[in-house]
Amino acid sequence: MTTRREFITLLGRAAAAWPLAASAQQGDRVRRIGVLMAYDENDVLAKTLFSAFIQALEGLGWTDGRNLRVDVRWYGNDTNRIRALAQELVGLQTDIILAASTPATVAVQRETRTIPIVFVGDPVASGIVVDRPGGNITGFGNFEGTLGGKWLELLSEIAPGLKRAAIMFNPETAHVSTYMPSFETAARSLKVAPIIASVHSDAEIETTIIALGREQGGGLIVMPDVFMTAHRAPIISAAARNNVPAVYPVSAFARDGGLLSYGVQQVDLFRRAATYMHRILRGEKPGDLPVQFPTKYELAVNRKTANALGLAVPPSIMLRADEVIDE
């Protein structure tokens, strides 16, 4: 039982603490973060990644509208817009910026050397960082060079008659050199003729896939590339119409009707990016946080598409698949 004297003592202590708590709350200003996102804001993949990032921030105590203000800009796949949007975010005097692609990272770093930047992209290939970022930038590499060979191996597993394979990318938004050594090594080992296919439009995508489908034994590898992901609908459609088996870098392709996907788990990277944002907002320096590389990968296969192409999904793929799509 609490005595009257004890109650008065407790009440006095609480009253003394109230001004301190109020002062601390008032001093904890709302922080402002900028986000430069690839894709269109209505793209299902883009919304999933952005939501994962925001949810991770909330789990760390940052809520938009309470102690955080989030300014997000979407550039679709129009690289001409990136610099203007990067300038806009820097002009807002944000406390920190998330650059959610390699082109976005290049653009934001060009505009500021003082505002902290956390990236999700492939800055090693673009020359932004070598090992540790230093300065005002750090983040998460979202691609791995050995995937070039892995994609070809998976393609040959699901399409055993493979004779030639094109690796398709947009040179303005992708760095194919990262993947070429492992791709060419796998091609020699599997006795598959490698084809380099750079494209800039839906028309060039269509032409490339039609050429692959003219003879049996053609296959397609789609590079992890903002342009490729934004154009996944026409790529998947052309591959189906021309009976070309294809492997893709992101599971969204398989869910949208692509045959097979294998790549870095993008949602995981955006969640991890939120942890770096949190640490920097709490006072750590970007230069003290090392660039991290992928730790989680995912394999998805669309059995409906395989059946339409007359392919049987081998047990070696089924047993490893993280996701099997049947409709």
Side-chain angles (χ1 to χ4, degrees):
M1 180 181 293
T2 302
T3 67
R4 183 173 182 273
R5 179 177 293 177
E6 289 170 335
F7 176 77
I8 292 172
T9 301
L10 289 170
L11 185 62
R13 288 174 181 171
W18 291 338
L20 294 175
S23 175
Q25 188 173 16
Q26 290 170 2
D28 189 15
R29 67 180 178 85
V30 173
R31 312 305 291 274
R32 190 169 190 171
I33 69 171
V35 180
L36 185 53
M37 290 286 297
Y39 316 124
D40 184 271
E41 61 183 306
N42 295 316
D43 184 283
V44 174
L45 173 61
K47 289 195 290 187
T48 299
L49 297 177
F50 183 68
S51 294
F53 171 70
I54 294 297
Q55 288 169 12
L57 282 175
E58 290 175 350
L60 293 165
W62 299 98
T63 303
D64 191 14
R66 183 173 63 83
N67 60 354
L68 191 71
R69 174 171 175 174
V70 180
D71 296 292
V72 59
R73 300 292 184 270
W74 307 80
Y75 69 84
N77 67 322
D78 184 359
T79 54
N80 294 322
R81 296 183 60 213
I82 298 177
R83 185 163 191 179
L85 294 176
Q87 290 173 341
E88 188 175 329
L89 289 175
V90 169
L92 293 174
Q93 297 183 330
T94 49
D95 293 290
I96 189 170
I97 296 174
L98 173 69
S101 72
T102 304
T105 305
V106 173
V108 174
Q109 193 189 36
R110 190 179 288 137
E111 299 304 321
T112 180
R113 297 287 174 166
T114 55
I115 297 174
I117 302 166
V118 175
F119 66 78
V120 176
D122 188 12
V124 175
S126 60
I128 295 175
V129 298
V130 178
D131 181 23
R132 286 177 64 111
N136 69 321
I137 184 167
T138 187
F140 298 83
N142 61 350
F143 302 126
E144 166 58 50
T146 59
L147 287 174
K150 186 64 177 179
W151 291 321
L152 188 56
E153 290 168 5
L154 285 167
L155 190 57
S156 67
E157 279 186 65
I158 202 166
L162 189 69
K163 296 177 182 177
R164 61 196 186 286
I167 186 164
M168 188 166 68
F169 63 100
N170 184 329
E172 295 178 2
T173 53
H175 298 273
V176 71
S177 59
T178 302
Y179 307 95
M180 287 310 298
S182 63
F183 173 64
E184 291 173 343
T185 298
R188 285 192 297 271
S189 175
L190 296 167
K191 296 180 171 53
V192 172
I195 301 168
I196 310 302
S198 63
V199 296
H200 302 82
S201 65
D202 286 345
E204 291 181 1
I205 288 170
E206 182 83 11
T207 299
T208 296
I209 295 176
I210 288 173
L212 286 171
R214 284 200 184 106
E215 299 177 24
Q216 289 187 344
L220 176 66
I221 294 170
V222 175
M223 280 276 291
D225 173 351
V226 170
F227 177 88
M228 294 289 103
T229 304
H231 288 75
R232 62 185 180 273
I235 295 171
I236 292 167
S237 175
R241 283 184 280 101
N242 292 280
N243 205 42
V244 174
V247 61
Y248 304 95
V250 181
S251 57
F253 282 89
R255 296 190 195 106
D256 288 351
L259 174 62
L260 184 71
S261 70
Y262 180 73
V264 175
Q265 193 181 94
Q266 300 290 322
V267 166
D268 176 63
L269 292 181
F270 277 78
R271 288 175 179 153
R272 292 166 68 193
T275 66
Y276 265 17
M277 302 285 274
H278 169 72
R279 292 173 65 178
I280 294 168
L281 288 171
R282 287 302 184 199
E284 294 189 54
K285 296 178 180 179
D288 293 336
L289 300 175
V291 172
Q292 295 189 35
F293 292 92
T295 58
K296 293 184 179 180
Y297 298 81
E298 55 187 352
L299 172 64
V301 59
N302 191 313
R303 276 200 299 204
K304 181 179 179 182
T305 300
N307 291 335
L309 292 171
L311 300 172
V313 181
S316 60
I317 288 179
M318 287 296 296
L319 290 171
R320 288 177 286 162
D322 298 287
E323 185 176 359
V324 178
I325 298 134
D326 288 307
E327 56 182 42

